Amino acid sequence: MATWSRPHRDDDHASRRARFEAVFAAESRAILGYALRRVDAAEDAADIVAETFLVAWRRIDDVPPGPDARPWLYGVARRVLANHVRGVRRRTRLGERLREELQTRPDVVSHDEDDAAATVRDAMLRLSDDDRELLRLTSWEGLAPAELATAMSLPPATVRTRLHRARNRLRTELEAVGRPGERQARTGHVNGDGRLSVRLEEGT
């Protein structure tokens, strides 16, 4: 019996490896983009991608097939990123406090940009971490509410409610810091130079 079980195990390993390599080839660029937009150093992004796909390899049987793999991987990457941030804060707590202070000082953000990107960034900084992540996943990663639910491990109804509230809070902040004429709805995308625009639409 041992003679017959060995080829079966080898075939199973080869099949799982082939599936992992296909997932990596299809989704690694998207996960790298996710990480790069959330950390300061490229090497930290590389570490997050490596850890995310290490989890994917260990749990390859749990990775959904086809396009559903990406939201699942975003969910893993979120948890890896959270662990990374906690580690950075433990090691460099003082530096983190200084960085946050600089990011939230109004005079750090320039309001002279013609495309109002600075206004959007200033408003985003005033939101909670959860609100910012919802809006980023929608605008940067282009996730629909059902995909957001997978990425954030939340029921779809909860995600829709939180997304609606996050958009309302962002709209309120934009109205507080924006100039006249900047209260119109914005279409969500990342501009060619990496600046953030955020969709503020009802019922989506």
Side-chain angles (χ1 to χ4, degrees):
M1 285 182 72
T3 303
W4 289 101
S5 63
R6 175 65 179 275
H8 175 75
R9 288 197 299 269
D10 288 347
D11 290 347
D12 183 61
H13 179 80
S15 175
R16 295 176 79 251
R17 182 181 181 86
R19 180 150 184 261
F20 170 79
E21 290 175 349
V23 170
F24 183 85
E27 306 298 347
S28 58
R29 187 177 182 87
I31 301 305
L32 177 60
Y34 174 96
L36 284 170
R37 286 187 284 269
R38 288 163 173 80
V39 297
D40 296 329
E43 56 267 29
D44 290 339
D47 289 342
I48 290 166
V49 172
E51 183 65 25
T52 297
F53 280 98
L54 179 61
V55 173
W57 166 247
R58 291 171 175 167
R59 298 179 56 194
I60 190 62
D61 293 333
D62 296 330
V63 179
D68 291 337
R70 185 173 296 181
W72 188 91
L73 289 168
Y74 281 147
V76 174
R78 286 185 67 246
R79 292 187 285 275
V80 171
L81 177 64
N83 289 335
H84 167 80
V85 170
R86 282 193 291 270
V88 169
R89 286 178 176 170
R90 283 194 297 268
R91 293 190 299 269
T92 58
R93 192 171 299 275
L94 177 58
E96 184 68 21
R97 285 202 300 268
L98 290 172
R99 186 181 301 113
E100 290 176 355
E101 179 183 349
L102 288 172
Q103 287 177 338
T104 54
R105 282 176 53 190
D107 58 341
V108 172
V109 179
S110 171
H111 291 276
D112 296 329
E113 299 181 42
D114 292 338
D115 62 3
T119 299
V120 176
R121 282 196 297 270
D122 189 27
M124 287 284 285
L125 286 169
R126 298 174 187 272
L127 300 179
S128 68
D129 290 343
D130 287 344
D131 282 352
R132 281 199 298 271
E133 184 64 359
L134 275 171
L135 294 170
R136 287 167 176 169
L137 284 168
T138 301
S139 298
W140 289 355
E141 270 64 58
L143 296 191
E147 295 170 320
L148 281 171
T150 299
M152 302 194 74
S153 301
L154 292 170
T158 301
V159 165
R160 284 192 290 270
T161 298
R162 291 188 181 182
L163 183 59
H164 173 76
R165 291 173 179 171
R167 285 170 172 163
N168 283 343
R169 282 190 280 265
L170 178 58
R171 182 181 292 107
T172 298
E173 293 297 340
L174 285 169
E175 291 175 353
V177 302
R179 297 187 296 268
E182 290 180 355
R183 301 183 183 184
Q184 303 300 317
R186 290 167 169 80
T187 300
H189 66 282
V190 176
N191 297 330
D193 58 0
R195 291 175 297 181
L196 172 67
S197 296
V198 178
R199 180 182 294 116
L200 295 177
E201 299 171 0
E202 296 295 337
T204 58

